[in-house]
Amino acid sequence: MILELDCGNSFIKWRVLDANVRQVVGEGIVDSDNALMVGLKSFEGLSLKFCRLVSVRTAEETSVLISLLKESFDVSVMCASPTREMSGVRNGYEEFERLGLDRWLALLGGFHLAAGACLVLDFGTAVTADFVARNGDHLGGFICPGMSLMRNQLRTHTRKIRYGDLAAERALESLMPGRTTVEAVERGCLLMLRGFVLTQLELARSYWGEDFAVFLTGGDAALVSEIVPGARVVPDLVFVGLAMACPLS
């Protein structure tokens, strides 16, 4: 079995593949190293042979997790690292090593699936957009706060904004002007997010007309999918790129 990990700023996304047929046999999202260990150790029939991971955490935090994995499962661990070029894609950052590894792997995966120009939109804690031309040149991208960051900033800096997750979910059942604070905040943040997406689409069209693919990934991708009807929603796009960056054969 192969363990794949996407270690983000807030959560660790994991999945286990059958090494022979490359099918997902288990997956989950946890908020700590300890929770990951508990989840994996409770996985019935787990027999790991390989592990590969991508991490945007500090080197120290990543090293601690790798040590835990080796001690717990006696497994070798491959960790994705920055590179100037891979699989026909050329990193567009002036300092290529400063491009977030999760972004790099997602755009690698998008270009591989599109076999041409693509716009990759990732909706996590932060929202990112990356543009890859048909010749594999990464043109750069944009970063803005995701829904949770926007919401939490308002909660933190505005004393009277207080509400729970259930109220937030209900508020998004409509996009009419809000008549309560939770409705006004949640709908306002979502409209900002959708405006960001529409701006990225306009820019992509200015580059390539209609000859490009759009990929949506990340936990909040469903919030914008209806305004990009031709987009491909690929929840595990980072893992597509991870398999390219850390091949096991």
Side-chain angles (χ1 to χ4, degrees), residues 139-190:
L139 305 182
F142 299 94
I143 304 172
C144 74
M147 282 290 288
S148 61
L149 279 180
M150 288 191 282
R151 175 189 301 126
N152 290 337
Q153 281 297 302
L154 285 170
R155 285 175 170 172
T156 300
H157 296 287
T158 308
R159 292 182 180 178
K160 292 186 178 180
I161 295 181
R162 297 289 184 273
Y163 55 84
D165 292 340
L166 181 58
E169 184 177 341
R170 288 175 176 169
L172 292 178
E173 293 174 355
S174 166
L175 283 181
M176 296 293 291
R179 300 183 67 181
T180 64
T181 298
V182 61
E183 290 177 351
V185 169
E186 291 298 314
R187 295 171 189 179
C189 289
L190 179 54

Side-chain angles (χ1 to χ4, degrees), residues 16-241:
V16 175
L17 306 180
D18 184 299
N20 296 316
V21 295
R22 296 297 199 271
Q23 288 185 341
V24 178
V25 295
E27 58 188 342
I29 299 176
V30 294
D31 60 3
S32 68
D33 293 356
N34 288 337
L36 175 65
M37 294 299 116
V38 170
L40 291 175
K41 289 178 180 179
S42 65
F43 188 95
E44 187 175 351
L46 184 68
S47 178
L48 295 179
K49 293 184 178 180
F50 307 102
C51 174
R52 55 191 172 203
L53 66 83
V54 56
S55 175
V56 298
R57 298 175 165 194
T58 66
E60 292 76 15
E61 290 172 325
T62 303
S63 179
V64 168
L65 176 57
I66 290 174
S67 296
L68 277 174
L69 292 167
K70 289 180 177 179
E71 293 170 5
S72 299
F73 303 105
D74 189 27
V75 64
S76 61
V77 180
M78 295 181 67
C79 189
S81 58
T83 182
R84 172 67 71 186
E85 183 173 349
M86 178 174 289
S87 301
V89 180
R90 286 164 293 282
N91 191 315
Y93 259 33
E94 294 178 359
E95 299 176 71
F96 72 88
E97 65 276 7
R98 297 186 68 84
L99 175 65
L101 274 171
D102 51 349
R103 286 175 63 194
W104 173 239
L105 295 184
L107 67 90
L108 278 180
F111 184 74
H112 172 73
L113 295 176
C118 61
L119 167 61
V120 177
L121 297 164
D122 191 340
F123 301 89
T125 303
V127 174
T128 61
D130 283 286
F131 299 78
V132 187
R134 60 178 59 88
N135 67 354
D137 283 345
H138 171 225
L139 305 182
F142 299 94
I143 304 172
C144 74
M147 282 290 288
S148 61
L149 279 180
M150 288 191 282
R151 175 189 301 126
N152 290 337
Q153 281 297 302
L154 285 170
R155 285 175 170 172
T156 300
H157 296 287
T158 308
R159 292 182 180 178
K160 292 186 178 180
I161 295 181
R162 297 289 184 273
Y163 55 84
D165 292 340
L166 181 58
E169 184 177 341
R170 288 175 176 169
L172 292 178
E173 293 174 355
S174 166
L175 283 181
M176 296 293 291
R179 300 183 67 181
T180 64
T181 298
V182 61
E183 290 177 351
V185 169
E186 291 298 314
R187 295 171 189 179
C189 289
L190 179 54
L191 289 174
M192 289 187 69
L193 190 64
R194 290 186 172 190
F196 175 83
V197 170
L198 293 175
T199 300
Q200 307 314 301
L201 291 171
E202 289 178 7
L203 184 55
R205 292 188 184 106
S206 75
Y207 289 145
W208 309 307
E210 297 296 332
D211 188 19
F212 66 96
V214 182
F215 293 94
L216 308 180
T217 191
D220 284 334
L223 295 176
V224 302
S225 58
E226 69 180 53
I227 67 169
V228 197
R232 293 176 62 179
V233 179
V234 185
D236 294 329
L237 191 58
V238 169
F239 286 140
V240 175

